[in-house]
Amino acid sequence: MRSKALRQGRFWHTFLPTGPTTNNGSVGGAIITQDGKETWTVHDYLGSDYNAADVTVEKTVAQFLGGMGSPNAISIDEVTATSIFTPTVVLAETWSGNHQRVFLAGDACHQTIPLGGYGMNMGLADAWDLGWKLPATIQGWGGTHLMKTYEQERRPMAALMQHWRKIHMMKIMGLSTAVKLDPVVIESMDERGIALQLRR
């Protein structure tokens, strides 16, 4: 896995078609390398009826690294953090106060599933937009209505981001079904594998 991580870049993601709690043809989770060497993040998609007592770091990692076969025992040096996350997709109705003195940005006004960096990039763009409009207004060269354009411009972009994030997620969820739960097919260099790699 390490050599593959280094070939594909430092922060590569591998989406797996099976996991400790998902074995019905949908994506089971993902492994993400944080340094390309020894630090990894493992995501497992839990069903609504999961039992928290059955979800352990050891079981999750062993199942993921076992791939399509039996769980693969592995020694874990250190667990730096664990959490259970419930996806939330929301869009605030308004992004500023009545007198244009308080503004929302990032997750405060648009939350989405953390996939593909959509939310992070939207938050950075929000900050960039406010970063030039606030001094322009304070210094007087931006006009009296400039701050109203923040919400007018950014909110439609956030709605569009949530739309494309949904399409992105559906592509990933559908890919495992397309290869009948065989991740080897995706990485193969035959005609079918290349077609799946180029699929959009």
Side-chain angles (χ1 to χ4, degrees):
M1 292 183 68
R2 180 179 177 184
S3 61
K4 182 184 294 185
L6 296 178
R7 284 202 309 271
Q8 298 186 20
R10 193 170 185 182
F11 295 94
W12 66 275
H13 293 52
T14 294
F15 293 94
L16 302 168
T18 186
T21 58
T22 305
N23 198 12
N24 60 357
S26 61
V27 171
I31 298 177
I32 305 168
T33 177
Q34 300 299 331
D35 60 4
K37 297 178 181 178
E38 58 187 10
T39 305
W40 308 83
T41 300
V42 176
H43 292 268
D44 182 19
Y45 297 111
L46 304 175
S48 58
D49 58 347
Y50 77 94
N51 183 350
D54 293 334
V55 181
T56 67
V57 172
E58 291 74 16
K59 283 184 180 180
T60 301
V61 172
Q63 179 69 39
F64 278 128
L65 296 184
M68 299 302 296
S70 301
N72 185 15
I74 186 171
S75 174
I76 301 173
D77 295 330
E78 178 185 8
V79 177
T80 58
T82 62
S83 65
I84 294 179
F85 169 76
T86 301
T88 304
V89 179
V90 295
L91 187 62
E93 292 184 6
T94 59
W95 290 26
S96 62
N98 292 334
H99 302 291
Q100 303 291 304
R101 296 177 64 85
V102 176
F103 296 89
L104 301 179
D107 284 356
C109 51
H110 50 76
Q111 294 180 17
T112 189
I113 296 172
L115 174 70
Y118 291 98
M120 178 187 69
N121 283 292
M122 281 296 301
L124 291 172
D126 295 343
W128 184 89
D129 201 38
L130 284 173
W132 77 267
K133 287 180 177 177
L134 284 171
T137 300
I138 292 170
Q139 294 168 15
W141 55 271
T144 57
H145 301 291
L146 179 62
M147 294 312 302
K148 292 181 180 179
T149 67
Y150 168 66
E151 180 177 332
Q152 293 169 355
E153 294 172 358
R154 299 302 305 155
R155 193 174 188 279
M157 292 303 298
L160 184 63
M161 173 271 294
Q162 291 181 340
H163 169 74
W164 282 106
R165 193 274 325 149
K166 179 180 178 181
I167 292 175
H168 186 174
M169 189 66 183
M170 294 305 293
K171 288 284 188 181
I172 291 172
M173 297 296 284
L175 191 57
S176 62
T177 302
V179 297
K180 297 183 179 179
L181 302 184
D182 187 357
V184 176
V185 175
I186 302 176
E187 296 186 357
S188 68
M189 295 309 294
D190 60 17
E191 184 177 343
R192 186 180 181 201
I194 293 173
L196 286 168
Q197 293 166 26
L198 297 175
R199 181 176 171 182
R200 297 183 186 278

